[in-house]
Amino acid sequence: MSNSLAVLFYLKDKRLDKNGKAGLYLRLTVNGQRSVISLHRKIDPEKWDSRMNKLKGKGIEAEELNRFMATVRHRINKIHNELVEEGEFFTVHDVKDKFSGNDKRVKMLLELFDEHNQQMKKLIGIEFALGTYKRYHTTRNHVAEFIKTEQSKSDIPIRDVDLKFIKGFEYFLKTTKECNHTQH
């Protein structure tokens, strides 16, 4: 995986405040996934150079804001480099969370499956039959194999389970595992 990173500062000038200033935002792109962070700064749109991605001029206001944006860019690059060095899979949300200070541990899909299956095991004979538990266990193993073969990973964050993942898993079950809901 390339772990590409793009950083862009921009103004949301469609939402001017009562003083005619626009909010400054940071758009992060990691491997094609985007996320936006408000930098809680207001800027006169007339002073913004969107092509150069900075405030125009040489005054104190321009120097301070441009230095602030350089610091933000440096922090983002540092976070990105740390995540790359860890060698684990990460998304744009991980970079954003670390930058924002919300970098609590991400829930992973197979971890959640394992927690669920441990609970199911305790309910055998109470609420579920042994066969039901075995099917949950089999499904977990199929998901693990799908992630390994299709994404070359050992697990994925739960937030990355989207319609594309689900359709891919369904196709994997039907073609590779030859599972079909019409079979008896």
Side-chain angles (χ1 to χ4, degrees):
M1 177 170 281
S2 67
N3 291 317
S4 65
L5 170 70
V7 177
L8 175 74
F9 296 95
Y10 70 97
L11 300 183
K12 277 197 178 175
D13 53 5
K14 291 182 176 110
R15 296 185 189 169
L16 299 179
D17 67 8
K18 62 184 176 187
N19 298 321
K21 293 189 174 187
L24 177 63
Y25 288 81
L26 169 66
R27 183 173 69 206
L28 301 174
T29 308
V30 174
N31 298 327
Q33 281 187 312
R34 289 181 175 176
S35 191
V36 174
I37 301 170
S38 170
L39 295 175
H40 307 291
R41 298 280 200 283
K42 296 288 186 172
I43 298 166
D44 180 353
E46 297 293 319
K47 296 180 180 179
W48 182 251
D49 185 340
S50 58
R51 190 176 64 78
M52 295 300 291
N53 221 310
K54 66 179 192 171
L55 206 58
K56 299 175 192 172
K58 299 281 186 203
I60 293 172
E61 179 188 20
E63 286 181 15
E64 285 179 357
L65 186 73
N66 291 335
R67 190 171 28 249
F68 167 74
M69 291 188 305
T71 301
V72 167
R73 185 181 303 272
H74 176 75
R75 279 185 56 208
I76 292 294
N77 285 329
K78 185 176 178 190
I79 289 166
H80 180 258
N81 288 338
E82 288 170 359
L83 290 169
V84 168
E85 286 175 16
E86 288 174 9
E88 294 293 320
F89 173 76
F90 66 92
T91 68
V92 70
H93 303 293
D94 298 312
V95 176
K96 179 181 178 179
D97 288 347
K98 271 189 168 276
F99 177 78
S100 302
N102 300 328
D103 57 334
K104 56 186 177 271
R105 190 155 147 26
V106 175
K107 280 279 191 183
M108 302 300 279
L109 179 58
L110 295 177
E111 284 179 46
L112 227 50
F113 240 114
D114 291 338
E115 288 174 21
H116 172 266
N117 287 352
Q118 287 172 358
Q119 291 173 350
M120 292 298 297
K121 190 174 187 178
K122 292 176 184 173
L123 294 173
I124 294 171
I126 300 170
E127 195 172 329
F128 298 99
L130 177 62
T132 303
Y133 166 75
K134 287 180 178 179
R135 283 189 289 281
Y136 278 120
H137 186 71
T138 301
T139 303
R140 184 258 185 234
N141 291 339
H142 287 338
V143 169
E145 186 178 343
F146 171 70
I147 292 169
K148 188 170 182 80
T149 59
E150 298 297 318
Q151 298 187 9
S152 302
K153 298 175 185 142
S154 59
D155 203 351
I156 63 168
I158 190 74
R159 68 171 170 248
D160 289 352
V161 176
D162 56 9
L163 185 59
K164 181 180 176 186
F165 178 88
I166 293 167
K167 287 188 176 274
F169 181 57
E170 178 186 25
Y171 182 78
F172 172 82
L173 288 175
K174 289 178 179 178
T175 58
T176 305
K177 293 298 176 186
E178 297 178 354
C179 296
N180 189 336
H181 71 281
T182 59
Q183 290 178 336
H184 299 297

